[in-house]
């Protein structure tokens, strides 16, 4: 068949998938979805007539291709193209997959709406209802459907950190990093910053390494903040090296600091507990100072209830 008989959404969806499959889908699942029937995306000229300027039709097309591949495997693409040598696009899809394009479209758009509703519920459980465990369960459910969505891996990593599970925090933060567009300096720098924060709970030397990566990958707008994080972690690493770890951690927890700016009072309490247990030999006045600082954060938590 002629290429002009293949819908534009399929051609562009396959092309976008193949060129970007190692990257996360470029949209946030918590934003309202805008999607349209694929019959309105059959010709390039029709895309602009049915979708607003802020929305990329490539996103919907690529997501649909991934939806089919999740059920049939990547081989399905070449099989459809091979079958199209002898029959129409619609017939080829049905023969290869056992479903019509309309069947897939109905299932796909329903899944779009389902994920939107799940995201809203998970967000409410975490932010409004303060139920991180239940929120995490839903985000993990979402990740089963869209594992290559950068934002869902970010939320899962952050929830694991909030719950004190640092192994899984690192696991999902690394997944988030893998999905960042390598050509996006801002995205890389921000992701390195999150990993730096996480590693304060585990390994200061690794935290310093990622803080340096954050500076190296930062664009002009992120450089000041990245350099500030690097300077703070460098000072902490020096304190650890000279045998004053508790003084170093007190320095990044007391007052306002870039590397702990995103920490909730609960996460600060958790970090202090981790640090006190890690350095039992440090019986200096810094231990007392950290314990008193922990009590301040606990008082904040009580006041918030």
């Amino acid at each position: 068949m002629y290429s002009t008989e293949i819908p534009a959404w399929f051609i562009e969806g396959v092309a976008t998938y193949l060129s970007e499959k190692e990257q996360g889908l470029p949209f946030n699942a918590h934003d309202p979805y805008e999607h349209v029937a694929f019959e309105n995306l059959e010709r390039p000229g029709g895309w602009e007539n049915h979708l607003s300027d802020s929305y990329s039709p490539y996103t919907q097309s690529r997501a649909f291709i991934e939806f089919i591949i999740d059920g049939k495997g990547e081989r399905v693409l070449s099989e459809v193209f091979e079958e199209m040598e002898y029959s129409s696009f619609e017939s080829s899809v049905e023969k290869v997959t056992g479903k019509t394009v309309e069947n897939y479209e109905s299932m796909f758009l329903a899944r779009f709406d389902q994920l939107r509703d799940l995201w809203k519920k998970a967000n409410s459980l975490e932010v409004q209802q303060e139920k991180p465990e239940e929120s995490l369960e839903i985000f993990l459910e979402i990740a089963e459907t869209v594992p290559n969505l950068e934002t869902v891996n970010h939320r899962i990593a952050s929830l694991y950190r909030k719950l004190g599970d640092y192994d899984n925090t690192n696991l999902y933060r690394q997944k988030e990093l893998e999905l960042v567009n390598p050509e996006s300096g801002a995205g890389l720098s921000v992701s390195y910053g999150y990993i730096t924060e996480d590693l304060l709970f585990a390994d200061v030397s690794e935290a310093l390494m990622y803080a340096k990566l954050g500076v190296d990958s930062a664009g002009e707008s992120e450089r000041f903040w990245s350099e500030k994080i690097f300077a703070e972690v460098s000072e902490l690493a020096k304190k650890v090296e000279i045998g004053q770890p508790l003084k170093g951690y007190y320095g990044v927890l007391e007052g306002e600091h870039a590397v702990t700016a995103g920490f909730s009072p609960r996460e600060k309490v958790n970090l202090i507990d981790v640090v006190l247990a890690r350095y039992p030999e440090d019986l200096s006045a810094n231990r007392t100072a950290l314990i008193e600082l922990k009590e301040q954060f606990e008082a904040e938590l009580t006041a918030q209830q």
Side-chain angles (χ1 to χ4, degrees):
M1 68 182 300
Y2 295 109
S3 61
T4 54
E5 297 174 359
I6 306 174
W9 64 260
F10 186 77
I11 296 174
E12 298 299 343
V14 170
T16 306
Y17 164 74
L18 292 175
S19 64
E20 299 180 357
K21 63 181 178 179
E22 301 302 325
Q23 301 171 21
L25 285 168
F27 63 87
N28 293 324
H30 59 285
D31 289 339
Y33 283 126
E34 182 183 357
H35 51 72
V36 298
F38 282 97
E39 65 182 18
N40 295 322
L41 304 178
E42 291 184 354
R43 296 288 180 269
W47 295 25
E48 294 79 4
N49 297 330
H50 295 282
L51 292 169
S52 64
D53 291 340
S54 61
Y55 183 88
S56 170
Y58 296 96
T59 297
Q60 178 174 327
S61 299
R62 173 192 162 185
F64 184 56
I65 296 300
E66 292 194 12
F67 179 74
I68 296 175
I69 288 173
D70 284 343
K72 296 293 181 179
E74 193 170 290
R75 173 66 182 167
V76 72
L77 299 180
S78 59
E79 290 177 353
V80 168
F81 277 109
E82 290 169 5
E83 185 62 31
M84 281 193 291
E85 293 183 18
Y86 312 103
S87 58
S88 68
F89 168 72
E90 290 78 8
S91 297
S92 298
V93 170
E94 185 172 4
K95 184 172 182 179
V96 171
T97 67
K99 292 186 176 68
T100 66
V101 174
E102 290 75 14
N103 288 153
Y104 268 117
E105 177 180 1
S106 177
M107 295 164 58
F108 171 72
L109 296 183
R111 182 64 59 85
F112 248 54
D113 291 334
Q114 179 188 32
L115 291 178
R116 176 197 60 199
D117 294 340
L118 284 173
W119 193 288
K120 288 181 178 179
K121 182 177 180 181
N123 194 63
S124 175
L125 284 167
E126 179 187 5
V127 180
Q128 279 82 38
Q129 303 177 51
E130 297 184 0
K131 297 179 179 179
E133 294 90 349
E134 294 180 34
S135 177
L136 176 61
E137 288 181 9
I138 296 176
F139 278 120
L140 287 170
E141 180 182 348
I142 293 172
E144 291 179 2
T145 300
V146 281
N148 63 340
L149 187 60
E150 179 187 336
T151 47
V152 76
N153 286 285
H154 172 77
R155 294 296 291 271
I156 291 172
S158 297
L159 280 162
Y160 271 125
R161 190 176 82 184
K162 183 178 290 187
L163 294 170
D165 184 340
Y166 306 116
D167 287 338
N168 275 314
T169 297
N170 182 60
L171 174 65
Y172 280 91
R173 199 70 81 191
Q174 290 296 331
K175 288 183 179 181
E176 175 188 353
L177 178 62
E178 290 170 4
L179 294 168
V180 173
N181 186 341
E183 296 180 2
S184 169
L188 278 175
S189 181
V190 170
S191 291
Y192 287 138
Y194 286 126
I195 296 175
T196 300
E197 293 175 9
D198 300 337
L199 286 170
L200 293 184
F201 292 86
D203 189 321
V204 174
S205 61
E206 279 198 50
L208 183 60
M209 179 186 73
Y210 277 99
K212 181 63 165 60
L213 289 172
V215 173
D216 293 343
S217 61
E220 185 176 347
S221 60
E222 303 87 33
R223 183 164 299 280
F224 173 78
W225 190 253
S226 297
E227 289 178 345
K228 195 170 183 182
I229 290 175
F230 178 69
E232 292 173 1
V233 178
S234 295
E235 185 62 26
L236 169 59
K238 289 177 184 177
K239 290 289 192 298
V240 172
E241 186 176 354
I242 64 175
Q244 298 179 346
L246 300 189
K247 184 175 182 180
Y249 273 98
Y250 184 88
V252 297
L253 282 166
E254 194 279 329
E256 297 183 2
H257 301 278
V259 73
T260 53
F263 284 25
S264 67
R266 169 55 58 194
E267 288 173 311
K268 292 178 179 179
V269 168
N270 290 346
L271 180 55
I272 292 175
D273 284 338
V274 167
V275 171
L276 290 176
R278 186 186 300 158
Y279 302 106
E281 71 283 357
D282 189 339
L283 301 176
S284 67
N286 297 309
R287 176 172 291 272
T288 301
L290 266 182
I291 292 172
E292 291 175 350
L293 188 59
K294 174 186 172 181
E295 292 171 351
Q296 291 179 31
F297 295 140
E298 288 174 333
E300 290 181 33
L301 288 169
T302 301
Q304 291 173 3
Q305 296 175 352

